[in-house]
C-alpha cells in the first residue's frame, strides 16, 4: 500500500513530510507529493491535519 494525496485538500503545511520515516514525501508547488519510497506505514495519514492523505 502506498499513500496518496488529495491535492485539492492539501494546504502544504509539511506535517506529513516531517512525520514520514522513509523520507517519501516532499512539497512541490505547495502540495504534498509521495515518492516511490513510500512504505505504506501511515505516519503521514496520522500527521495530516486536513485528512488529505490516505493509504491505497
Amino acid at each position: 500500500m502506498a499513500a496518496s494525496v488529495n491535492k485539492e485538500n492539501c494546504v502544504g503545511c509539511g506535517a506529513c513530510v516531517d512525520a514520514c520515516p522513509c523520507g517519501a514525501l516532499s512539497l512541490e508547488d505547495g502540495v504534498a507529493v509521495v515518492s516511490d519510497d513510500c512504505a505504506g506505514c501511515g505516519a503521514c495519514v496520522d500527521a495530516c491535519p486536513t485528512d488529505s492523505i490516505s493509504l491505497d
Side-chain angles (χ1 to χ4, degrees), residues 9-39:
N9 290 344
C10 179
V11 296
C13 69
C16 58
V17 175
D18 294 338
C20 182
C22 301
L25 286 121
S26 61
L27 292 178
E28 293 180 15
D29 297 324
V31 176
V33 176
V34 183
S35 76
D36 291 338
D37 295 330
C38 178

Side-chain angles (χ1 to χ4, degrees), residues 1-7 25 32-34 38 40 44-45 48 51-56:
M1 289 197 311
S4 62
V5 178
N6 179 331
K7 296 179 187 286
L25 286 121
V33 176
V34 183
C38 178
C44 58
V45 175
C48 182
D51 296 325
S52 298
I53 304 176
S54 60
L55 293 178
D56 295 334

